[in-house]
Each structure stands twice: as C-alpha cells, then as structure tokens.
Amino acid sequence: MKQLVLSVENLSFQYLGQPNEAVRNVTFHVYKGDWVAIVGHNGSGKSTVAKLLIGLLKPKHGEIRLFDTVLNEATVWQLRRRMGIVFQNPDNQFVGTTVQDDVAFALENNGIPREEMVERVQAAIRQVGMEAFLLKEPHHLSGGQKQRVALAGILALRPDLIILDEATSMLDPKGKQEVLEALIDLRKKQQMTILSITHDLEEAVQADKIIVMNEGEIVANGTPSDVFSLGEKLAEFRLDLPFVMKIKKELQQTGIPLSVHSATIEELVDELWTLYLNK
Amino acid sequence: MDIVFEQVDYIYHANSPFAQRALYEVDLAIEHGTFVAIVGHTGSGKSTLLQHLNGLLVPTNGKVRIGEYTLTNRQKQKQLKPLRRKVGVVFQFPEHQLFEETVEKDICFGPLNFGVSEDVAKQKAKEALALVGLPEQLLSRSPFDLSGGQMRRVAIAGILAMEPDVLVLDEPTAGLDPYGRKEIMELFARLHRERQLTTVLVTHHMEDAAKYADYVVVMQKGTVWKTGTPEAIFHDIDELQQIGLNVPETVLLKRKLEEKIGREIPSPCLTNEQLIDGIKALFFGGRL
Ligand SMILES: Nc1ncnc2c1ncn2[C@@H]1O[C@H](COP(=O)(O)OP(=O)(O)OP(=O)(O)O)[C@@H](O)[C@H]1O
Ligand SMILES: Nc1ncnc2c1ncn2[C@@H]1O[C@H](COP(=O)(O)OP(=O)(O)O)[C@@H](O)[C@H]1O
Ligand SMILES: [Mg+2]
Ligand SMILES: [Mg+2]
C-alpha cells in the first residue's frame, strides 16, 4: 500500500457574506509520489481548496490530514514546513528584494545549512533559466519570469508536498515543459507528491490522477483516461479533450479505425502510418 | 488607426543602476483593422511593446505612431487621454487593472472617465459583463473577491465597455478554463470582424495565433525577430524551437505524419479542421 500524504474528508467552506459554499463536501486522497491534477471551471473552488490545505482559510466542515496529522491551529506551522505552494499570481508571494534572496527565503527559514542552500538555490534558478537575473528585483520581471522565479523557490525547497495553483499559466511552451520535467525529475528522486491546479489539459493528461471540480464539488476523480472518457459530461464541466484525443476522436468519426491506445503525437502518427500502409 | 514603430528602444529605469533594456531597434507596422498575434519567449519584450500602444510607456529612443498620435520620449502624459480612449489594453495580470470597490464601478470607470452619463455607463457595464459570460449578480461584488478567471473576465469587460478602436490583449486567456478560453477567443474574433477592431494579441498558445491572426510577430530578446502570416511563421519548426517557441500541435502532427509516410499533405494544417481534412484526403483521396 502506498503511503497517504493527504486526506481530505467532507470539506466545506463558505466565504463571509456569500450565499453559497465555495467548496462543498469535498473528499479526496493523495498518495506519496503521486502527481494529481485538479481541473475545473473558473470559480469552481480549486484555489479555495488550495488555501484550505495550507491553512490560509479555516474549513466550515470537514477534516484535512497531512502526513497523518490533522491540520489545525496547533499543527499548521509544523505542517507548512513540509509543503510548498505557488499561487496564481506570483506578485503576491515575493518576499526577497532580489531573485536570489527570494528563492533562498524559505530555505533559510527552514534552517538549511548555508552551503547546501547556496547550491540548491543556484541549481533551481538554473533549472528555470533565470541565471541572468540573480540580482534583479522580482517585481521588475516579466510575467513569465515571475512565474519562473516562484517555481524556482519550490524546486530549491524540495518540500514533501508541492501545490501549484496555475503556476505555469504564463510560460512559453518550452519553458512550461522544462519546468514540468524538472518537477517530474524531483518527484522521482525524492518521492515528492504534486498537486497541480491547472487549465492546461496537455499537462493534466500527464498526471497520475485527475480531480474534476464543478461548482464547489468534486464531480470526477480518476486516471486521465477515466476522466477524458466522460464524453458529453466534459462540456458540462467546461472541459475539453487534450489535443491527441480530440484529433483521434474526429478521425474515428470520419471512418479511420483508430484504436484507443495512442496518447502522444508520435503514437498517433505511428498508428496512422500502419493504417495507411494497409489501406 | 495604423500603428507604426520606428527604431524603438525601451529601457526600464533608464539612467539608474537598475537600467534594464527591454526593447531595441523595434520596427513594426500594424495596419488598421488587422489581427496581429505577438509570440515570444518569456522576457522577450512583448508586454513592454504592448504598453507603448496606449502611451503607458513611451519610447526611450525612436517613435511610435498610432493614427494621428506620435509618441516620443518628450511626450506629455496628459495629451494621451484621447489615445487611451481609442486603444483599450487588457493587461497580463488582471489584478493590475482592477481597483474599484465593486465590479460595476470598475467596468463603468472607463466610460465615465471619457464622459458618458452614469446611466449609460451602467448600461454598458451590463452589456460588457454579458459579453464576457459573467452573470449580472457579480456587479455588486468586490473584484478582489473573485476567482482568478472571473477577475480576468471583469478586466476584459472593463476594456470592452470603452468601445475602443484598437484592442490590445496581453495573454488574455491565461487563467481561463478550456471552454472559457475558446469563448473569449471567439468573442475577440467576432468583435474584430464585426467592428473592424484592430486587435493585437500576445499569446503563448500557438494554436490561437495560427487560428485567429492575420499576421504573427515573433519577438526574441527585445526585438522583432520575424513577422509573417501564420503559415509562413509556423513553417520552420526547428528555427522556432531554437528560440524557445513551438508550432501549433496540428502543424507538428502534420509534419511528423508527412515524414513517416513520405507524402506531402498540401494544407498548412493551422487548425484542427484543416488537419482532419488533410488526413482524410490522404486516406480517402479527394481534394485537399
Ligand atoms: N518594471 C520593470 N522594471 C525593470 N525591468 C522590467 C520591468 N518589466 C519588465 N522588465 C524586463 O524587460 C524585459 C521584457 O519584459 P516584458 O514584460 O516586456 O516581457 P514579455 O515578453 O511580456 O514576457 P512574458 O511572456 O514573460 O510576459 C525582461 O527582461 C524583463 O525582465
Ligand atoms: N476572497 C473571496 N471572498 C468571497 N468570495 C470568494 C473569494 N475568493 C473566491 N471567492 C468565490 O469563491 C468561488 C470559488 O473561487 P476559487 O476557489 O477562487 O475558484 P477557482 O480557483 O476554481 O477558479 C467563486 O465563486 C469565487 O467568486
Ligand atoms: Mg483559482
Ligand atoms: Mg508579458
């Protein structure tokens, strides 16, 4: 059995003065080393869940357990040391006056020895391609550069649980893939667990599990192939199919007998080639 | 309003130890009524370039002409009010453009500032909110208590309510759910068509650039690297990948399939529809 990192039971939350609960009866479990994507329409409650998980908001009902400890006022500080979060807008998160200090901040706070800290900070900044900006002020960067710096903070910190709230939304395609690969690599080496809120279906389809939120509730939770075979329901949840699945479906409708297996462009091309040769 | 950049340099915090060159020798012409997509690696100067379009930034060197206005480093800020009315800019981070207590006040701000009556402004706010697909109940909410995607839509509504001639969009779909992204892009395409709005879109979604733009401008390290039709720009995959970009996935699939089967698909495959038609023709014959 895999070790449980996060368990959320019957979680509900209502913002002050709002008529409805932003999060309603949410239950899910995340296991060690897993990469879980949370998707869902704008305002479906994803960021609210993230804020509840790090104890920024207090649940109305329900319980959150992290690393087998119940999250409450007494445990929140100790638990936060094992988590790293990157928010939607990195501007609200910068604390250092230079890129380098900002990336180092959480490490310093966690008492990492100086030598190791310097090394991890430099490595992380290199991984996100920001080594030319070490001494720049984070607020004076472009949008994508800000996101890169915020992500470097997490790569350097190497927490047990990483929570990303649309943290790569402003990266160019190559930058996005580089960051994802750095995370996947860390996950393998350190058994890190990743919870990633995203609208990018090409990213979600690479996750182990996808949780779909709709109007504050979880409406689907399963592997990418489970979730993307929801058919008509996807549109209702304001989702879509990732590129390869979408093209495959449309080709099947034209009478090209593709199987269900190919998941990448390369696999689809191979399959089309075989069918083409035998046609 | 034609837009022309002539040898534009921009340096942030010029003449200080923090000086940072963001643009150099930018030459660019955007004809009235066209839809232009600007793509480029993070930090390549896209947002800096956009902020010149309504005079939020003025060139450190060189000049920008927008219709009858000419922006140089000697520009007086207050002369720019009429320009700001005509050029609506949706910023990269919507939080940077929202500031009123309620969504309604926020959307009304532009129209009121340019002299329409309160009733008319409120009417425009309602219409704009509907255009971006938000319910009317949101009008009384604080824009800061919204989800990221809702804030994005309110910021867009605020600009649409001004009814500008030029619409400038800095990654306007970042943070929108997949359906929302499609809806909002279709909205921009419709406004462009119906109102002949000159539209300048910065995006990291190459599919959107390919599908909606008449021209694509590729920025690289602070200057214009290349401009051309989507078909021309997305022709050279290696070259684009070298500067940290990519071609739309449709083009990638087309190219890989062509290499594999050794036959050309005579369509640029810039959209899903074109790709499907191209593959169909391969399998079943017929015209492409
Ligand atoms: N306020 C600022 N002060 C100093 N330098 C800045 C400022 N804003 C941007 N820069 C720098 O100017 C250059 C261009 O930034 P710009 O925001 O135009 O990039 P961009 O192409 O929009 O990038 P992204 O895709 O990440 O949004 C970058 O090197 C950036 O670090
Ligand atoms: N600070 C807040 N005050 C009141 N309502 C809020 C606040 N933040 C978010 N909401 C509302 O809660 C709901 C869920 O928001 P959020 O969790 O941010 O959604 P998501 O991240 O899925 O887009 C939305 O209806 C949003 O308007
Ligand atoms: Mg959110
Ligand atoms: Mg930008």
Side-chain angles (χ1 to χ4, degrees), chain B residues 104-286:
Chain B
E104 181 171 50
K105 284 189 187 169
D106 226 305
I107 304 180
C108 285
F109 178 84
L112 285 175
N113 194 23
F114 298 121
V116 314
S117 73
E118 192 151 334
D119 284 347
V120 174
K122 282 187 174 174
Q123 188 51 39
K124 283 186 195 288
K126 260 192 207 149
E127 289 165 12
L129 203 69
L131 270 181
V132 299
L134 287 176
E136 233 174 78
Q137 299 96 281
L138 243 56
L139 284 172
S140 59
R141 293 266 296 269
S142 157
F144 299 101
D145 288 351
L146 300 177
S147 81
Q150 291 166 334
M151 269 190 225
R152 167 75 67 194
R153 286 165 201 259
V154 171
I156 294 171
I159 297 304
L160 294 183
M162 284 170 33
E163 299 176 349
D165 297 337
V166 180
L167 192 54
V168 178
L169 307 159
D170 199 349
E171 298 187 43
T173 62
L176 294 186
D177 57 55
Y179 249 71
R181 188 178 129 208
K182 233 185 314 188
E183 280 167 5
I184 292 284
M185 283 312 304
E186 288 297 329
L187 170 66
F188 294 144
R190 202 180 87 213
L191 293 173
H192 168 67
R193 250 191 342 260
E194 289 173 1
R195 304 184 188 171
Q196 279 78 50
L197 270 185
T198 306
T199 306
V200 184
L201 165 77
V202 167
T203 184
H204 287 306
H205 292 287
M206 301 303 140
E207 312 80 61
D208 288 346
K211 182 164 177 190
Y212 297 104
D214 303 314
Y215 293 98
V216 179
V217 175
V218 185
M219 297 285 295
Q220 156 80 335
K221 295 192 173 150
T223 199
V224 173
W225 180 73
K226 217 174 184 181
T227 59
T229 61
E231 187 175 346
I233 292 292
F234 294 125
H235 186 74
D236 199 331
I237 300 182
D238 292 340
E239 208 180 52
L240 276 176
Q241 287 181 343
Q242 265 164 28
I243 63 164
L245 296 180
N246 217 332
V247 297
E249 286 176 300
T250 49
V251 177
L252 208 59
L253 201 158
K254 160 192 150 98
R255 200 61 64 79
K256 294 204 161 146
L257 190 58
E258 285 176 336
E259 280 166 15
K260 195 91 193 179
I261 66 179
R263 240 188 90 184
E264 203 176 316
I265 301 174
S267 152
C269 296
L270 293 175
T271 61
N272 285 6
E273 293 71 34
Q274 288 177 358
L275 175 68
I276 300 290
D277 286 346
I279 298 177
K280 244 167 49 186
L282 265 188
F283 274 78
F284 307 121

Side-chain angles (χ1 to χ4, degrees), chain A residues 32-101:
Chain A
K32 189 166 177 171
D34 271 359
W35 173 7
V36 175
I38 302 186
V39 302
H41 67 79
N42 289 131
S44 59
K46 306 178 298 293
S47 296
T48 306
V49 167
K51 286 178 193 152
L52 288 161
L53 292 182
I54 58 162
L56 269 185
L57 297 174
K58 247 181 79 187
K60 178 171 157 192
H61 292 300
E63 187 183 83
I64 297 169
R65 280 177 159 276
L66 285 150
F67 316 106
D68 222 18
T69 303
V70 175
L71 175 72
N72 57 36
E73 272 157 38
T75 58
V76 62
W77 292 105
Q78 159 219 339
L79 287 174
R80 267 197 208 162
R81 287 175 164 260
R82 302 184 62 182
M83 294 191 263
I85 185 162
V86 183
F87 287 114
Q88 248 168 308
N89 181 348
D91 267 329
N92 307 330
Q93 221 177 336
F94 291 130
V95 282
T97 51
T98 65
V99 164
Q100 184 170 273
D101 287 353

Side-chain angles (χ1 to χ4, degrees), chain B residues 15-31:
Chain B
N15 306 319
S16 89
F18 304 106
Q20 168 81 27
R21 186 178 78 171
L23 293 178
Y24 73 95
E25 296 169 15
V26 171
D27 283 321
L28 180 67
I30 298 174
E31 218 175 291

Side-chain angles (χ1 to χ4, degrees), chain A residues 18 41-43 89 91 136 140 144 148 166 170 172 174 199 238-240 254 266 270 273 276, chain B residues 13 20 42 92 95-96 141 147 171 175-177 179 182-183 204 244 249 256 260-261 263 280:
Chain A
Q18 294 306 314
H41 67 79
N42 289 131
N89 181 348
D91 267 329
K136 299 275 180 215
H140 287 173
R148 284 171 191 257
E166 297 181 38
M170 288 171 186
D172 49 85
K174 193 168 155 212
H199 291 302
R238 300 178 63 82
L239 290 174
D240 202 346
T254 70
E266 288 73 17
D270 278 345
W273 178 57
Y276 180 78
Chain B
H13 317 288
Q20 168 81 27
T42 39
Q92 187 165 5
E95 291 90 334
H96 293 177
R141 293 266 296 269
S147 81
E171 298 187 43
L176 294 186
D177 57 55
Y179 249 71
K182 233 185 314 188
E183 280 167 5
H204 287 306
E249 286 176 300
K256 294 204 161 146
K260 195 91 193 179
I261 66 179
R263 240 188 90 184
K280 244 167 49 186

Side-chain angles (χ1 to χ4, degrees), chain A residues 212-252:
Chain A
V212 183
M213 291 199 62
N214 189 54
E215 296 185 4
E217 296 177 322
I218 291 184
V219 288
N221 183 353
T223 63
S225 59
D226 291 341
V227 166
F228 289 120
S229 53
L230 284 171
E232 311 273 278
K233 282 256 186 257
L234 286 176
E236 194 183 305
F237 301 148
R238 300 178 63 82
L239 290 174
D240 202 346
L241 289 174
F243 174 70
V244 171
M245 291 190 191
K246 191 166 185 150
I247 293 297
K248 210 163 62 177
K249 191 169 148 207
E250 286 176 27
L251 286 175
Q252 282 166 339

